[in-house]
Every structure is written in C-alpha cells, then in structure tokens.
Amino acid sequence: MPSLGCDFYVFSAHKMLGPTGIGVMYGRRAVLDSLEPGRGGSEMIKEVWIDRAQWNDLPWRFEPGTPPIAEAVGLTAAIEYLEKVAMERVGEHERALTRQTLEGFARTPGVTAYGPPVSVDRGAVVAFAVEGLHPHDVAALLDAEGIAVRAGHHCAMPLMRRLGVVGTSRATFSVFNSPDEVSLLLAAVAGLRSAL
C-alpha cells in the first residue's frame, strides 16, 4: 500500500471469490489515528468512565460488535486459493475472456459494449446493451438460456445518465469461466438480436 501512496484502500470479499458481508479496509496509520469511530461497542473501547471513554488501539477501535468470524475464514480461504492459482494467471485468464467478449460484441450488430477498448488493460467486466431490449429483459432472456449476467445501473446511475442509457447488462468473468462459456454468451446475445 505505501507504494500506491493512498490513504485508504478497500475491497469486498465477494469480488474475489469470498463470502458476502465482509471486506478489507486498509488505512494509513496517520489518517486512522486522526479519525473518531462512527460507532461504539465491543473491543472498540479501552476504558470507560461515567462521563467518557477511551478508544482502543488500532485496529480494534474501528471494529464494533462481534467480528464476522465465519466470513473471515471464508475470505482467508479465497485469498489462499487465489494465491495458489497465482494472481498473474488469474489476470491473464480474465483478460483473455474479456478480449474474446469485446471482440465478439464488436462483430454483433445492435450490441454496444461500454468501457475501455480491448487494447486497454481493464477489469474482467463487460457492460453492454442490446438495441431494442431493456437490460433487465436481456438478463431474463439470457437467464432462460442458463447464462447469468447482472442488469441495471450497477451503482453508477450518474454515468448511465451521461451515457444516455437506462442501464446495461453486465457479464463478469473469473477463474471459473471458460472460453466456451464466452462463446455461449456471444451466441445467445446474437440470438436476442435476431429474434427482434
């Protein structure tokens, strides 16, 4: 983290094959020392008097309530799994699937992919729209084919407004996806267009 020079760095466990309900927040010590906790409870307090309390040391001062123990075990397992696979290999695999998807959508009339072009190093997420179909309808029709995508604003409503779209459908890839699955997605999306 020091090489990034950031004050905070956060990520959700479920974005890296871990369980929901837990994530990680890195905070630079100088910044964390200057902050007051927003909640109280459990191990956050070092000492209590009738009229005041003293916060505990880091990291406990920002950990209210009972820790999510099962989720932490699951997050640890996810990290160990990804380290075993090797993040470089994970990245290569995800980039190949993303490239295959973007190139396939570029050849499909009526399909618009959003985000950086194939030549840019980007995440394994492809947001797309199918002309004449609402993103939720795209998701439902693909679901009927056994293909899971997300649909909606993706926590980016201002961006959707700027793009002039009601939302997008979104395919996300990881280590468990294959090129054959991307081919099925591309064929199914092309089939949606031909059915209009």
Side-chain angles (χ1 to χ4, degrees):
M1 293 300 118
S3 66
L4 291 176
C6 59
D7 289 335
F8 294 99
Y9 191 90
V10 298
F11 64 87
S12 298
H14 73 275
K15 299 290 186 181
M16 54 178 291
L17 310 178
T20 59
I22 190 169
V24 171
M25 182 187 88
Y26 160 85
R28 198 164 45 86
R29 180 170 289 280
V31 176
L32 291 174
D33 281 338
S34 70
L35 296 176
E36 291 289 317
R39 295 181 173 186
S42 191
E43 299 293 323
M44 295 181 67
I45 309 297
K46 186 179 272 189
E47 281 192 76
V48 177
W49 295 268
I50 293 294
D51 60 338
R52 60 191 160 80
Q54 179 185 6
W55 297 121
N56 205 345
D57 299 325
L58 293 173
W60 300 279
R61 70 187 280 173
F62 293 109
E63 297 284 340
T66 303
I69 298 164
E71 292 85 350
V73 170
L75 173 56
T76 301
I79 291 168
E80 289 171 350
Y81 172 75
L82 289 171
E83 286 177 339
K84 186 176 180 179
V85 172
M87 289 307 294
E88 184 176 304
R89 287 180 53 212
V90 170
E92 288 172 9
H93 178 73
E94 290 176 351
R95 282 188 294 278
L97 298 179
T98 302
R99 185 179 317 105
Q100 179 186 354
T101 304
L102 290 169
E103 290 172 352
F105 282 163
R107 294 188 302 268
T108 308
V111 175
T112 301
Y114 296 93
V118 175
S119 61
V120 175
D121 191 18
R122 56 179 282 162
V125 176
V126 179
F128 64 97
V130 178
E131 186 180 341
L133 289 172
H134 191 281
H136 290 141
D137 294 332
V138 170
L141 292 166
L142 292 175
D143 182 59
E145 299 291 323
I147 299 169
V149 297
R150 299 288 307 264
H153 298 118
H154 314 294
C155 301
M157 196 176 282
L159 175 62
M160 299 298 162
R161 281 192 196 104
R162 179 156 179 120
L163 294 172
V165 298
V166 297
T168 62
S169 300
R170 185 184 76 198
T172 306
F173 307 108
S174 190
V175 295
F176 47 79
N177 295 115
S178 70
D180 289 342
E181 290 174 317
V182 171
S183 295
L184 291 173
L185 169 68
L186 295 172
V189 171
L192 297 178
R193 280 292 299 146
S194 64
L196 290 177

